[in-house]
Amino acid sequence: MTSFWSLRRTLLAAGGAAGATYTFSTYSRSRNSKKHRAHIVTAEGPAPTTRPLPTREENLRVLQDTPEFDVLVIGGGATGCGVALDAATRGLKTALVERDDWASGTSSRSTKLIHGGVRYLQKAIMGLDKEQYNLVKEALHERANLLEIAPHLSGPLPIMLPVYRWWQLPYFWAGIKAYDLVAGSQCVKSSYMLTKARALELFPMLKKDRLVGAIVYYDGQHNDARMNLAIALSAARHGAAVANHMEVLSLTKTTDQSGKEVISGAVMKDCLTGKEVKVKAKCVVNATGPFTDGVRHMDNEKISNICQPSAGVHIILPDYYSPESMGLLDPQTSDGRVIFFLPWEGLTIAGTTDSPCDITHSPTPTEKEIQFILNEIKNYLSSDVSVRRGDVLAAWSGIRPLVSDPNSKNTQSISRNHVIEVSPSHLVTIAGGKWTTYRSMASDTVDKAIEVCGLEPRHTDCQTDGLMLEGGDAYTPTMFIRLVQDFGLENEVAQHLAHTYGDKAFDVAKMAQMTGKRWPVVGKRLVEDFPYLEAEVKYACREYACTAIDVIARRTRLAFQNVQAAETALPTVVRILAQELGWSKQKCQDEEEAAKQFLYMEMGGKAHVDVRLQTTPDTNLPATDIERYKKRFDKVAGSKGFITHMDLENIIENLGIDISEDQLHDMLEEVDTNRNGQVELDEFLQLMIAARMGTVPLSRLERIMALIEEMTDKRAIPTFRSGGGV
């Protein structure tokens, strides 16, 4: 039991924290007021551009034909695209290239929050760390700016901090109020305290045992990949030549007037055609995130690495795991990390982990990390909610590019802020930082590039503070109503289009097909249960989508929401892309296979198979159940001991069950763990046991086989004839 003196010390600490915050805040407002006023003035620089969006082919021609760019940016994540937009709006001739797709790396694999960092503020106050405080202050300004310039892709999100000890209430309350205070006039919404009853009303899934109350604070949330894409498209509209799927092979150098060797551009290859292009630039910016050192080594092979990669895994769960508009923060997990549990795109996202990793283009979530997140979730949810491995719809790993500052005396220490390094040959490297502060990182980088490389911009100051991003300029929260009324779209689909494309949603709606139904009039869905339209695949090509993965992962977010749904949509996606991009039959097959491999390795498919393989028939499953499953299997497999696609097709056709060829193929894929094109008895038993234990959901193959068993057994009444079942 907490003593009076212990409680007194806690309250004093809380009061001290608030006082320290006030001191910091007053000092910062005095120091930064002039700088903030400058931001307001310069934000009025470039007006929203009506320049048509150039095609990828037009961008490639500009890359090839331009004698020399002012700035060449390598890396199409949030920071790289931000640098390109900043440079272009200052009037610099700008090029931007990305090896894969916009946001294909870490920028699409975040927690989806736009935040200042509550835990960073705690460290700043407790350690009286002014640098940490300034980092939070900057992030809170950028949070407000991002919510303003892309209102269709972002919005405020209340996050609940449940409290299970009375003495923690004043402590957490002081900390969260300090967060509001530091934000000042840019506070999203004011935080507040909840009683136990009110907390359970707003978050009914919460564990009620020992709960004493909760505190709710506000941060921002966004669709990270689409936000990244909006920055890239905005850069293109402001005159930057942008090209995804363009890999830099080497850096070129020349000797300047003083006899010094400096970087003068890069040799790059179009990954789609194999054609090589040499691009000249006065300044080359390295904004490649986890791959920072790879580009640095192109400049100098002997240079030491500065990137120390860390993997963060997230999982997606069904919507019933969280309220529609309330997140949850676990401030202290079993190993001292922070776990967020948030509603996102109609589902629930949980994460993240934090562990050292190797740098790879295909990070894979492990079963150990997925189980860690599930176990932490269990600690906060009601016993009525069974946290099951089988409810994990998707999982991914993102590599966070932590960096040591090469300009610091202690190069082994991790920098908490972003780092800008200029090499002797004038390669400008921007590394570290976080999603929320991409714009200020870009501003600092362009400032440094102008200084080091002698660039002459039309505007010397940054122009992007307050500059609306693609789709945000004419967006309104009620725009979806016009989409419903003018085009005859479903309400859910109209809201999705408005929130995804902003004022460009009408362009997508014009491409939508007639449904042939009374309602909705237009809008053929890509896959059931998700609001994505087939028209979005066509529109994705205008947003520089070049592969099936680009569409399912970053133009839509289907791969991040539900792996099985993404795989179901693949044939349709590939078919539409083939029509738009002129693919051959072989190219279609290659694209579908590559997308399936992506879902398997990077979106949790492999971990899903691994957990099934770890489930053996040696469990306490009753022998009668094992025998029943074997009998069910034998009805289809016969004496040969395995099930093929043809077996299912023949028996289903004889019984008159209406199932498409693609659905049959998908059924086998779910169960065929060794990928040999057939399902053996042990695979089927592993699936059934795992489903019984709740580690995986019941598969479609098992459901159809149960139906076959009913229909071939004269003593049984088929469920569809008895009115269905539950």
Side-chain angles (χ1 to χ4, degrees), residues 495-527:
Q495 291 200 48
H496 154 68
L497 293 181
H499 291 148
T500 302
Y501 302 95
D503 57 27
K504 302 293 185 281
F506 298 97
D507 296 335
V508 183
K510 290 173 185 176
M511 294 181 176
Q513 295 173 289
M514 300 287 289
T515 63
K517 302 176 183 177
R518 187 184 64 80
W519 189 264
V521 178
V522 300
K524 191 173 181 182
R525 294 201 184 204
L526 196 57
V527 66

Side-chain angles (χ1 to χ4, degrees), residues 6 245 255 266 305 313 353 355 357 401 458 460 628 664 683 691:
S6 175
H245 299 283
T255 303
N305 290 346
V313 170
T353 60
S355 54
C357 67
R458 190 183 315 122
T460 55
R628 188 172 80 254
L664 278 176
E683 289 178 318

Side-chain angles (χ1 to χ4, degrees), residues 252-311:
T252 57
K253 295 183 180 181
T254 189
T255 303
D256 65 11
Q257 294 177 347
S258 65
K260 181 181 179 181
E261 192 177 52
V262 294
I263 288 175
S264 59
V267 177
M268 55 193 70
K269 179 183 72 173
D270 187 339
C271 297
L272 303 180
T273 65
K275 182 179 179 180
E276 291 190 10
V277 180
K278 187 175 181 179
V279 176
K280 291 189 66 178
K282 296 173 185 175
C283 177
V284 175
V285 175
N286 172 18
T288 53
F291 307 100
T292 293
D293 290 321
V295 177
R296 292 174 72 244
H297 289 155
M298 290 182 187
D299 177 32
N300 183 352
E301 293 179 356
K302 298 179 181 179
I303 202 166
S304 300
N305 290 346
I306 61 172
C307 186
Q308 300 185 33
S310 175

Side-chain angles (χ1 to χ4, degrees), residues 688-701:
M688 294 311 305
I689 293 165
R692 180 76 173 261
M693 295 166 63
T695 54
V696 299
L698 206 59
S699 82
R700 291 175 288 179
L701 176 63

Side-chain angles (χ1 to χ4, degrees), residues 109-112 312-316 340 349-353 365 370 373 392 394-398:
R109 304 170 191 236
S110 72
T111 311
K112 322 303 180 193
V313 170
H314 294 83
I315 64 174
I316 288 288
F340 285 98
I349 182 173
T352 179
T353 60
I370 292 172
I373 296 173
V392 178
W396 66 85
S397 176

Side-chain angles (χ1 to χ4, degrees), residues 77-79 81 103 105-115 142 146 222-231 432-441 469:
T79 304
C81 292
T106 308
S107 294
S108 63
R109 304 170 191 236
S110 72
T111 311
K112 322 303 180 193
L113 284 177
I114 309 169
H115 63 119
E142 293 303 325
L146 202 48
H222 67 154
N223 184 334
D224 53 3
R226 292 291 315 184
M227 184 73 80
N228 195 152
L229 177 64
I231 302 168
K434 60 181 184 176
W435 222 121
T436 306
T437 58
Y438 85 89
R439 194 204 61 82
S440 61
M441 292 165 62
L469 295 182

Side-chain angles (χ1 to χ4, degrees), residues 37-231:
R37 284 198 298 273
H39 275 178
I40 294 172
V41 173
T42 59
E44 297 172 359
T49 178
T50 56
R51 178 178 183 261
L53 194 66
T55 65
R56 184 174 184 272
E57 289 69 28
E58 290 170 338
N59 279 317
L60 291 176
R61 281 197 293 272
V62 174
L63 276 176
Q64 182 175 334
D65 298 342
T66 301
E68 185 178 47
F69 287 96
D70 292 317
V71 179
L72 167 62
V73 184
I74 307 173
T79 304
C81 292
V83 171
L85 178 59
D86 189 293
T89 52
R90 294 199 205 194
L92 295 170
K93 195 176 294 183
T94 305
L96 167 67
V97 294
E98 160 59 39
R99 175 187 179 275
D100 196 336
D101 184 29
W102 315 121
S104 58
T106 308
S107 294
S108 63
R109 304 170 191 236
S110 72
T111 311
K112 322 303 180 193
L113 284 177
I114 309 169
H115 63 119
V118 175
R119 67 182 186 276
Y120 297 130
L121 181 60
Q122 179 192 27
K123 292 176 183 177
I125 294 172
M126 294 306 178
L128 294 177
D129 187 334
K130 187 163 68 69
E131 180 189 352
Q132 192 82 264
Y133 171 82
N134 288 336
L135 179 64
V136 175
K137 184 76 175 175
E138 176 187 60
L140 288 171
H141 170 72
E142 293 303 325
R143 178 188 70 178
N145 183 64
L146 202 48
L147 290 170
E148 178 186 346
I149 65 177
H152 57 304
L153 292 169
S154 62
L157 177 71
I159 300 175
M160 183 181 292
L161 181 63
V163 180
Y164 289 90
R165 294 182 178 87
W166 282 106
W167 65 267
Q168 289 180 329
L169 271 173
Y171 176 77
F172 286 145
W173 180 85
I176 295 300
K177 278 300 174 186
Y179 195 55
D180 291 350
L181 182 62
V182 173
S185 61
Q186 295 177 322
C187 180
V188 178
K189 289 185 181 181
S190 184
S191 59
Y192 55 90
M193 195 178 297
L194 295 173
T195 63
K196 175 180 179 178
R198 183 62 177 153
L200 291 172
E201 182 181 337
L202 293 176
F203 207 117
M205 308 85 174
L206 202 60
K207 184 172 71 174
K208 63 179 74 172
D209 299 342
R210 301 195 309 276
L211 181 70
V212 297
I215 298 166
V216 174
Y217 74 97
Y218 285 81
D219 257 327
Q221 188 179 50
H222 67 154
N223 184 334
D224 53 3
R226 292 291 315 184
M227 184 73 80
N228 195 152
L229 177 64
I231 302 168

